[in-house]
Amino acid sequence: FLSAFLAFVDSFVGLGDSFTLFSFLFICEVSIMESDTQKSEKVILLGLQGAGKTSMRYIIFASFTGAETRSLGMTVGTEQVDLKFMGSLAMNLCDIPGQNKFWEQLFDSQKVSIFSNVAVMIYVFNAESIGTKDEALEMQRFQSCVNAAKEYSPKSKITALFHKIDLVDEHLREERYGQRKEQIQDMFPKIEIPLYKTSIWDESLYQAWSTIVNSLIPNIDIIHNRLDDFCKINELNEVVVFEKSTFLVITAAVQEEHYDPHRFEKVSTIVKNFKLCRRKSASDVEEISIGTSRFFALVNKFTENTYILVVGKNRSSENIVKRNIKIASKSFQGLL
């Protein structure tokens, strides 16, 4: 963990002596506190059999590793998981089976139930299907799902994942992705449907799901504005919020551009892998502090449901940053 984390931080600070960098990250835990303003958002996960829907759900929300998902069986009935985030958001995640015999039954008898009151519909495409016999069926299924979602939940957001991209030859990935994106745009020219390339083996899965969860948080603008103020007042370079259990990126305040647009999701992968390594330990991490002549990095508990990770170049300011974290934690307590 430390070697991976050191290498990551070094990529931030190795940009020249004139570059001052602090990275302040909140890692927010799934809250178990009740909230009077809590609203449950329905998210449905759809796709053909073998697209990888259940595997990604277990990786993000059940802390499975990619290798551990090989033991999962096929989904033979609708599986629902109730999740809570930061006390202000409850999510009802519905994993719909993709086998033809189950799907036809569900679509005929439970279409209204499945597609009513949907906040987000996620359709998972198998990236290997282009050019195979499953391609036409996959697009037909996708079209039926989008039409049903818009009929019974007109305000629902539609997101598509081009999954298992790692199984496509590297030199063909962009071409296949472009083909699927064009097919979607031609099918639904008036509906905005983002398409994300994803794999269970890298940070791309976290990037896609971070965007999805971000769109559901009711007070996200308030959180972002306060983070932005904190970032500017403390002359920080970046402030990023992560959900503690899943390590999904919630929001970020960025003061300077960085060459790696996926760095936050890489942090998610590194920290979650560290957590998985400690699963059998009954103890919890209170604080991690590492540093060199070029930077310091601090992981510390923040609010009741959060941790904070701070990265900076000026190690002499570490104690000041710690004090500011304690002060700021009070104003974020009700939000995170």
Side-chain angles (χ1 to χ4, degrees), residues 200-249:
I200 63 173
W201 303 108
D202 61 26
E203 67 277 0
S204 60
L205 191 62
Y206 289 91
Q207 181 184 19
W209 275 92
S210 293
T211 304
I212 293 166
V213 171
N214 182 283
S215 70
L216 294 172
I217 299 174
N219 57 0
I220 190 65
D221 290 337
I222 296 174
I223 294 173
H224 177 78
N225 290 338
R226 291 194 184 181
L227 287 176
D228 193 55
D229 289 341
F230 185 90
C231 190
K232 292 174 181 177
I233 291 170
N234 289 275
E235 298 182 350
L236 304 175
N237 180 257
E238 296 178 314
V239 182
V240 189
V241 176
F242 290 86
E243 194 275 321
K244 182 180 178 182
S245 294
T246 62
F247 295 98
L248 295 174
V249 178

Side-chain angles (χ1 to χ4, degrees), residues 183-198:
Q183 289 173 327
I184 292 172
Q185 290 173 341
D186 289 344
M187 186 173 284
F188 296 103
K190 296 182 179 180
I191 302 177
E192 183 179 355
I193 305 177
L195 178 67
Y196 299 96
K197 291 175 286 188
T198 57

Side-chain angles (χ1 to χ4, degrees), residues 18-55:
S18 63
F19 183 82
T20 301
L21 170 68
F22 287 97
S23 183
F24 170 84
L25 296 87
F26 290 110
I27 303 176
C28 306
E29 185 175 19
V30 174
S31 174
I32 59 174
M33 297 185 299
E34 293 183 356
S35 172
D36 293 336
T37 60
Q38 192 174 76
K39 180 182 178 182
S40 182
E41 301 284 11
K42 182 178 177 181
V43 178
I44 55 176
L45 192 58
L46 301 149
L48 295 186
Q49 177 183 1
K53 304 182 297 300
T54 303
S55 293

Side-chain angles (χ1 to χ4, degrees), residues 5 22-25 236 296-299 308-312 321 325:
F5 185 65
F22 287 97
S23 183
F24 170 84
L25 296 87
L236 304 175
F296 76 90
L298 173 70
V299 179
I308 185 171
L309 167 62
V310 182
V311 181
V321 172
I325 288 171

Side-chain angles (χ1 to χ4, degrees), residues 6-279:
L6 280 166
F8 172 79
V9 173
D10 189 59
S11 72
F12 274 87
V13 299
L15 302 177
D17 294 336
S18 63
F19 183 82
T20 301
L21 170 68
F22 287 97
S23 183
F24 170 84
L25 296 87
F26 290 110
I27 303 176
C28 306
E29 185 175 19
V30 174
S31 174
I32 59 174
M33 297 185 299
E34 293 183 356
S35 172
D36 293 336
T37 60
Q38 192 174 76
K39 180 182 178 182
S40 182
E41 301 284 11
K42 182 178 177 181
V43 178
I44 55 176
L45 192 58
L46 301 149
L48 295 186
Q49 177 183 1
K53 304 182 297 300
T54 303
S55 293
M56 69 171 65
R57 173 166 67 85
Y58 271 80
I59 287 174
I60 296 295
F61 299 105
S63 295
F64 272 48
T65 64
E68 288 173 335
T69 62
R70 292 169 181 158
S71 64
L72 296 173
M74 66 179 182
T75 305
V76 296
T78 300
E79 296 184 5
Q80 298 190 42
V81 182
D82 291 315
L83 304 160
K84 294 181 181 179
F85 291 87
M86 300 183 296
S88 60
L89 171 66
M91 184 168 72
N92 177 239
L93 179 61
C94 304
D95 185 355
I96 311 298
Q99 300 92 328
N100 287 336
K101 60 178 180 180
F102 291 114
W103 170 252
E104 290 170 1
Q105 242 180 0
L106 287 170
F107 199 77
D108 288 341
S109 62
Q110 300 181 38
K111 180 168 67 171
V112 177
S113 174
I114 292 172
F115 291 98
S116 294
N117 303 310
V118 172
V120 178
M121 187 197 98
I122 305 168
Y123 194 92
V124 182
F125 289 104
N126 187 339
E128 292 186 291
S129 71
I130 291 184
T132 70
K133 60 182 179 62
D134 288 332
E135 182 176 8
L137 176 61
E138 196 167 43
M139 293 307 299
Q140 181 183 3
R141 177 82 61 85
F142 173 69
Q143 185 177 36
S144 298
C145 290
V146 174
N147 287 336
K150 287 304 178 182
E151 179 180 358
Y152 297 107
S153 301
K155 296 182 179 180
S156 61
K157 299 181 179 73
I158 312 294
T159 297
L161 306 182
F162 196 56
H163 195 48
K164 298 187 177 182
I165 192 67
D166 56 290
L167 299 180
V168 178
D169 287 342
E170 191 170 356
H171 69 283
L172 292 175
R173 291 175 187 175
E174 288 302 320
E175 178 185 342
R176 297 282 175 84
Y177 171 75
Q179 288 176 347
R180 184 49 47 89
K181 192 172 183 179
E182 186 176 347
Q183 289 173 327
I184 292 172
Q185 290 173 341
D186 289 344
M187 186 173 284
F188 296 103
K190 296 182 179 180
I191 302 177
E192 183 179 355
I193 305 177
L195 178 67
Y196 299 96
K197 291 175 286 188
T198 57
S199 167
I200 63 173
W201 303 108
D202 61 26
E203 67 277 0
S204 60
L205 191 62
Y206 289 91
Q207 181 184 19
W209 275 92
S210 293
T211 304
I212 293 166
V213 171
N214 182 283
S215 70
L216 294 172
I217 299 174
N219 57 0
I220 190 65
D221 290 337
I222 296 174
I223 294 173
H224 177 78
N225 290 338
R226 291 194 184 181
L227 287 176
D228 193 55
D229 289 341
F230 185 90
C231 190
K232 292 174 181 177
I233 291 170
N234 289 275
E235 298 182 350
L236 304 175
N237 180 257
E238 296 178 314
V239 182
V240 189
V241 176
F242 290 86
E243 194 275 321
K244 182 180 178 182
S245 294
T246 62
F247 295 98
L248 295 174
V249 178
I250 300 301
T251 189
V254 179
Q255 298 302 312
E256 292 193 40
E257 294 298 323
H258 192 274
Y259 72 93
D260 185 358
H262 306 299
R263 61 198 180 280
F264 304 146
E265 289 75 23
K266 290 177 180 177
V267 171
S268 297
T269 305
I270 292 171
V271 178
K272 191 163 188 180
N273 285 338
F274 177 61
K275 179 186 175 184
L276 293 176
C277 291
R278 294 180 52 84
R279 276 189 298 195

